[in-house]
Amino acid sequence: MKQILWFRRDLRIDDNAILSNAKNEVLPIFIFDKSILSKLSVDDKRVSFIYNSVLKLKVILKTIGLDLAIFYGKPFEIIKNLKKDFDEVLCSVDFDEYSIKRDKEIEELIPMKRYIDSFIINPNEHLNSNNRPYRVFTPFYKSLNVITQSKRIDTFKRNKNLKKITFDYNVIPTLMQMNFKEQKLPIFLKKNAFTLLEEFGNKITSYKEDRDYFYKDASSNISVHLRFGLVSPKQIFNYVKSLNTKSSEFFIRELFWREFYNYILFHFPKSQNQNFNGLNIKWNENDLDFEKWCNGETGIPIIDAAMINLNNTGFMHNRLRMVVASFLTKNLFIDWKKGEFYFSKKLLDYEASSNIGSWQWSSSTGADATPYFRTFNPYIQSRKFDKEGYFIKSIIKEFSNIDSRLLHIENGVQSNLFNNYTNSIVDIKISRQRAIKKFKEAKNA
Ligand SMILES: Cc1cc2nc3c(=O)[nH]c(=O)nc-3n(C[C@H](O)[C@H](O)[C@H](O)COP(=O)(O)OP(=O)(O)OC[C@H]3O[C@@H](n4cnc5c(N)ncnc54)[C@H](O)[C@@H]3O)c2cc1C
């Protein structure tokens, strides 16, 4: 039996489904997929992160007697060329639309065995008492009590008797050959997943209280490593459970929001580009407003700082994601799909299901959505979670000497004549009322 082990978003050797289920002779491969990469810009930060992670995986696989063949091309063509020497392909399940189609086509060429590896639960297995998928987080989460309340979840044990198939695919494509430039990444991404987890372990007791204070470094910062499988969700679950703190349970709940959104997209694939709750909303089509939001030029300090920081680093704190998403969809009344698409190009941890689910949640169109009359007032949010303006001032340098109180008042910064800061593009109170009116109309239509 000769098997291709196709690493995709499982770039690790522990708790890895394919290394556990493989038998005998194997060829581990990674494909830089031309169809995906051709849509990305030359300065995409994720490609730098994945590239470095794939090279590291190759080194790690060598330490266990294996190796990694690295390709650049279309997966269908590459597997077509390899298939004559192999019996089957092993890989983890990818749930997104493109991957489902890609895998279906490849399955016509060679048998494929797929394993749930990037998520804890199989979305197909947890239905409600009517045999229907859950649509709301809390009952979904409660139904998983046996898992979420357990002390640990079994992980995949690596088959240590695998034999390497020697290959002559020794040329590793460079970033430049794939039309990318190496990008500077946020410092925390230089650390490996287990260092990040250990650091989180030292501060987890304050996670529940401090998580929303976006100037503090209170969360795990694990989402990027998790996205590309440098750590598995089960490993994170087991580590956090072993700490046995009050915040552990709170954190596990967050980790299951990721499961929930994957579950929702699996059962309701149309929610990728339709309002989950079916509301027919006539959004504001003003491109200039949208552009100003993207560029951080709205005249609202917290929104602008969050967006500028996203554009520079590829990262945004969870509370800020909620604030900018609410602002875009409620105050500017712009379609969540535009914000979702923008995040999909920028976020280092971009995960289609979490991003779509969270955007729909924020815009009150989703599963378990926030009620439409609930909007985040950006000034109240910044006063509450960054009173001294530490985050905002660290991003918008011209505010560094300004009285912090002005950051939390509508057009407050602009009242200081020495500042050359644009006026707010929208009145928060009036725009909130407009959003409520429009939602009411859509509901009653
Ligand atoms: C509009 C919007 C878009 C988002 N898009 C993404 C995305 O593309 N990819 C992504 O991984 N997360 C997304 N999130 C969720 C969340 O913001 C990030 O997971 C979190 O900020 C990552 O930082 P962390 O690892 O330090 O989080 P922690 O607070 O340490 O949480 C640990 C892990 O739990 C999961 N998690 C936490 N909160 C959520 C949540 N609300 N929804 C889903 N999973 C969650 C993540 O996997 C995260 O890494 C989005 C949230 C919003 C409001």
Side-chain angles (χ1 to χ4, degrees):
M1 171 73 79
K2 287 189 176 179
Q3 297 170 315
I4 296 172
L5 306 187
W6 184 6
F7 283 82
R8 305 187 317 182
R9 45 175 301 173
D10 47 353
L11 305 177
R12 63 178 185 281
I13 62 164
D14 293 323
D15 188 28
N16 182 303
I18 56 177
L19 286 173
S20 169
N21 286 285
K23 299 197 169 56
N24 306 325
E25 293 178 89
V26 296
L27 174 71
I29 66 165
F30 183 87
I31 303 172
F32 283 100
D33 186 339
K34 246 184 187 164
S35 315
I36 297 177
L37 296 184
S38 64
K39 297 198 181 86
L40 305 179
S41 67
V42 58
D43 59 354
D44 195 296
K45 291 187 181 348
R46 291 163 294 199
V47 182
S48 287
F49 183 77
I50 300 167
Y51 190 77
N52 295 336
S53 303
V54 168
L55 295 189
K56 278 185 203 151
L57 177 66
K58 185 172 171 76
V59 173
I60 296 169
L61 283 168
K62 282 185 176 173
T63 66
I64 58 165
L66 299 175
D67 199 347
L68 187 69
I70 304 173
F71 298 93
Y72 171 49
K74 295 204 167 150
F76 184 86
E77 301 301 332
I78 287 161
I79 305 243
K80 196 166 142 196
N81 285 336
L82 291 173
K83 73 166 191 168
K84 63 176 179 347
D85 299 321
F86 291 91
D87 300 292
E88 58 187 17
V89 175
L90 270 59
C91 58
S92 63
V93 179
D94 263 353
F95 289 100
D96 64 277
E97 206 180 13
Y98 164 77
S99 311
I100 292 169
K101 189 167 168 272
R102 174 197 62 199
D103 288 355
K104 239 186 190 163
E105 286 166 8
I106 292 175
E107 223 162 10
E108 306 275 311
L109 296 172
I110 183 168
M112 274 180 108
K113 281 193 181 142
R114 275 169 280 181
Y115 305 91
I116 305 279
D117 179 298
S118 327
F119 290 88
I120 295 172
I121 66 153
N122 181 343
N124 222 356
E125 280 176 6
H126 300 276
L127 301 175
N128 68 17
S129 50
N130 297 323
N131 230 12
R132 295 231 170 88
Y134 290 95
R135 300 170 68 99
V136 175
F137 178 76
T138 304
F140 162 82
Y141 189 64
K142 276 193 183 149
S143 78
L144 298 171
N145 251 343
V146 176
I147 301 171
T148 59
Q149 298 309 310
S150 63
K151 287 208 172 105
R152 62 171 281 118
I153 302 175
D154 279 348
T155 51
F156 292 109
K157 301 280 169 286
R158 178 160 58 83
N159 179 351
K160 295 195 172 154
N161 300 315
L162 300 177
K163 286 192 202 85
K164 172 174 109 175
I165 295 176
T166 40
F167 58 81
D168 50 11
Y169 315 108
N170 289 317
V171 183
I172 301 172
T174 64
L175 274 177
M176 218 203 283
Q177 281 162 349
M178 298 189 286
N179 301 320
F180 289 96
K181 274 196 198 141
E182 172 135 34
Q183 296 298 302
K184 204 169 159 237
L185 297 172
I187 290 169
F188 74 89
L189 290 184
K190 293 223 159 68
K191 300 175 186 173
N192 75 35
F194 298 94
T195 306
L196 286 177
L197 279 184
E198 235 174 79
E199 287 180 1
F200 181 56
N202 294 333
K203 61 189 181 187
I204 191 171
T205 45
S206 58
Y207 176 71
K208 191 172 173 191
E209 294 141 40
D210 285 352
R211 169 174 194 248
D212 289 327
Y213 291 82
F214 47 86
Y215 69 90
K216 295 185 183 180
D217 181 24
S219 68
S220 68
N221 297 316
I222 203 70
S223 57
V224 186
H225 289 77
L226 181 55
R227 169 64 184 83
F228 299 109
L230 293 144
V231 61
S232 77
K234 282 188 269 171
Q235 288 175 309
I236 297 175
F237 180 100
N238 289 344
Y239 175 72
V240 169
K241 279 282 178 163
S242 75
L243 300 171
N244 197 18
T245 69
K246 267 192 195 154
S247 280
S248 300
E249 296 310 316
F250 186 75
F251 178 89
I252 297 296
R253 203 179 149 88
E254 295 305 321
L255 198 58
F256 273 80
W257 272 99
R258 177 176 178 271
E259 300 288 328
F260 177 63
Y261 286 140
N262 184 54
Y263 175 92
I264 289 289
L265 194 58
F266 175 83
H267 288 288
F268 305 99
K270 285 187 184 155
S271 65
Q272 180 153 358
N273 36 39
Q274 286 176 17
N275 293 340
F276 182 83
N277 61 11
L279 282 187
N280 184 11
I281 298 168
K282 290 194 179 48
W283 299 104
N284 166 18
E285 299 290 346
N286 184 327
D287 289 340
L288 194 59
D289 284 353
F290 180 61
E291 220 173 274
K292 287 189 168 164
W293 176 85
C294 295
N295 296 337
E297 294 168 351
T298 66
I300 298 170
I302 185 178
I303 304 289
D304 293 345
M307 295 305 292
I308 292 169
N309 191 46
L310 170 70
N311 294 335
N312 289 339
T313 65
F315 205 76
M316 193 187 285
H317 186 280
N318 180 60
R319 171 65 39 176
L320 291 172
R321 295 186 205 201
M322 293 199 285
V323 174
V324 301
S326 168
F327 179 76
L328 184 77
T329 58
K330 302 287 178 60
N331 299 102
L332 297 183
F333 210 65
I334 288 176
D335 192 343
W336 63 266
K337 290 194 276 306
K338 290 191 180 167
E340 196 278 331
F341 182 64
Y342 191 73
F343 269 28
S344 78
K345 290 189 292 181
K346 296 285 172 186
L347 279 178
L348 272 156
D349 66 12
Y350 171 65
E351 173 91 63
S353 52
S354 288
N355 202 45
I356 292 165
S358 301
W359 270 97
Q360 292 239 35
W361 183 91
S362 297
S363 64
S364 305
T365 60
D368 213 11
T370 168
Y372 68 87
F373 46 82
R374 194 179 296 154
T375 58
F376 283 102
N377 178 315
Y379 297 102
I380 295 178
Q381 291 293 311
S382 65
R383 188 180 309 124
K384 190 165 173 194
F385 296 113
D386 186 20
K387 192 169 176 209
E388 300 303 328
Y390 295 124
F391 170 76
I392 296 172
K393 290 182 178 188
S394 75
I395 305 299
I396 308 180
K397 301 286 184 225
E398 62 183 281
F399 295 164
S400 48
N401 294 321
I402 211 162
D403 179 346
S404 299
R405 285 171 299 186
L406 294 176
L407 299 169
H408 317 306
I409 300 170
E410 200 156 349
N411 285 321
V413 175
Q414 292 84 342
S415 68
N416 179 330
L417 297 179
F418 295 103
N419 267 313
N420 183 18
Y421 185 52
T422 182
N423 276 338
S424 169
I425 60 171
V426 76
D427 179 293
I428 294 298
K429 198 170 162 202
I430 294 173
S431 59
R432 176 178 179 270
Q433 283 163 352
R434 175 185 64 174
I436 291 173
K437 187 167 164 271
K438 295 256 186 197
F439 264 95
K440 260 191 195 153
E441 282 166 11
K443 272 188 161 292
N444 296 333

